Amino acid sequence: MPENTPILEIKDVSYRYENKYRSVNVLDKVNCSFEKGRLYALIGKSGSGKSTLLSLMAGLMLPVGGEVLYEGKPTSSLDLVRYRRENAAVIYQSFRLLPLLTVTENVTYPMELRGVKGRQARKRAEELIKKVDLPENVLHRFPSMLSGGEQQRVAIARALGMEGKLLLADEPTGNLDSDNGARIIELLLSLAHEDGYCVVVVTHDMDIAARADKVFRMRDGRIEEQSEPVKNP
């Protein structure tokens, strides 16, 4: 893919939730694009459509109007299970580590789902755990033995085990104190700027928005404003 070509494009995307009683429009013809090597922040009040947009980017659902394009291909034409395993990793506020698996096993699990075998997967997991600045002595610990900041770093290491360069984070600092939150922000910025990932963060954390390369402010299902960079939002 040529340099500066968006890895992800949102073109006239609309989405609504429906049941037999009512239909609620959540997104209304949203347009935005995302490149590798940058960190983006999606901000806005609860109910503005941020998390729904992130779910569409992640291939957890498809738009009812418009297209989500990954490397120029609409997600509606892709194998979404494979897309989620290999291209679009999601980092959650609640970490979502498997409690009965060790740190190493949590990181290798998604790799093994896509066919990376035992020894190779373990070696890669050790590299990724080191990359997120965790010591070797956590490798055989269980999630309950780790702090919140350490668990989030394990979750990021797990996300890096995919083949693609798209990291989607939903309130990644929401369950962390300010010091651990700051360390996670630095890690995500490093992954974008030094390793070439496209990092998209849904957040209420204005410290993230202040450090982002570009900010999309959402309101009532639309992109109300976009700016770069934001210093004092």
Side-chain angles (χ1 to χ4, degrees):
M1 193 166 57
E3 192 174 351
N4 297 327
T5 298
I7 187 174
L8 195 69
E9 295 177 88
I10 310 299
K11 289 192 170 182
D12 288 328
V13 162
S14 298
Y15 192 83
R16 62 180 174 269
Y17 293 108
E18 293 183 322
N19 58 34
K20 63 181 180 179
Y21 302 109
R22 62 176 185 157
S23 175
V24 178
N25 290 320
V26 183
L27 297 174
D28 183 16
K29 294 185 177 179
V30 173
N31 288 277
C32 49
S33 61
F34 305 88
E35 298 174 6
K36 289 189 286 187
R38 307 188 80 190
L39 186 147
Y40 299 83
L42 286 174
I43 65 175
K45 294 180 179 180
S46 297
S48 62
K50 306 184 304 297
S51 293
T52 298
L53 183 57
L54 198 78
S55 293
L56 291 169
M57 294 180 191
L60 296 170
M61 52 196 187
L62 296 172
V64 298
E67 292 182 323
V68 176
L69 303 174
Y70 176 78
E71 294 187 339
K73 298 178 181 178
T75 53
S76 58
S77 72
L78 302 178
D79 178 336
L80 291 180
V81 173
R82 184 174 180 181
Y83 171 68
R84 292 192 296 270
R85 285 180 181 172
E86 298 182 0
N87 303 116
V90 183
I91 302 159
Y92 296 96
Q93 176 178 346
S94 57
F95 319 134
R96 295 200 182 182
L97 301 178
L98 298 172
L100 299 182
L101 299 186
T102 66
V103 166
T104 300
E105 290 166 341
N106 265 282
V107 177
T108 59
Y109 180 69
M111 286 190 271
E112 291 169 346
L113 287 178
R114 59 181 182 81
V116 181
K117 300 302 180 184
R119 182 177 296 179
Q120 182 184 356
R122 288 193 298 274
K123 181 180 178 181
R124 180 62 175 150
E126 291 173 7
E127 294 171 351
L128 293 173
I129 290 163
K130 183 177 180 180
K131 185 175 186 63
V132 299
D133 199 26
L134 285 171
E136 188 175 341
N137 63 12
V138 307
L139 291 172
H140 303 296
R141 294 181 183 177
F142 293 94
S144 61
M145 302 166 70
L146 306 178
S147 70
E150 289 171 332
Q151 289 187 63
Q152 191 61 288
R153 285 175 178 271
V154 174
I156 293 172
R158 178 180 60 188
L160 297 179
M162 65 176 184
E163 294 179 351
K165 286 285 188 176
L166 180 61
L167 294 179
L168 306 172
D170 192 358
E171 298 285 359
T173 62
N175 282 340
L176 305 179
D177 60 39
S178 57
D179 287 343
N180 278 304
R183 295 180 70 189
I184 293 300
I185 294 170
E186 291 299 329
L187 175 56
L188 294 175
L189 282 166
S190 174
L191 290 169
H193 296 162
E194 297 179 21
D195 296 290
Y197 284 87
C198 174
V199 182
V200 184
V201 182
V202 163
T203 187
H204 289 96
D205 187 339
M206 290 298 101
D207 288 336
I208 294 179
R211 302 289 303 282
D213 298 301
K214 189 163 189 173
V215 175
F216 294 104
R217 186 183 298 274
M218 297 193 68
R219 182 175 182 178
D220 297 332
R222 295 187 176 189
I223 301 289
E224 180 184 47
E225 177 187 359
Q226 46 187 297
S227 55
E228 53 181 310
V230 171
K231 296 300 181 185
N232 295 292

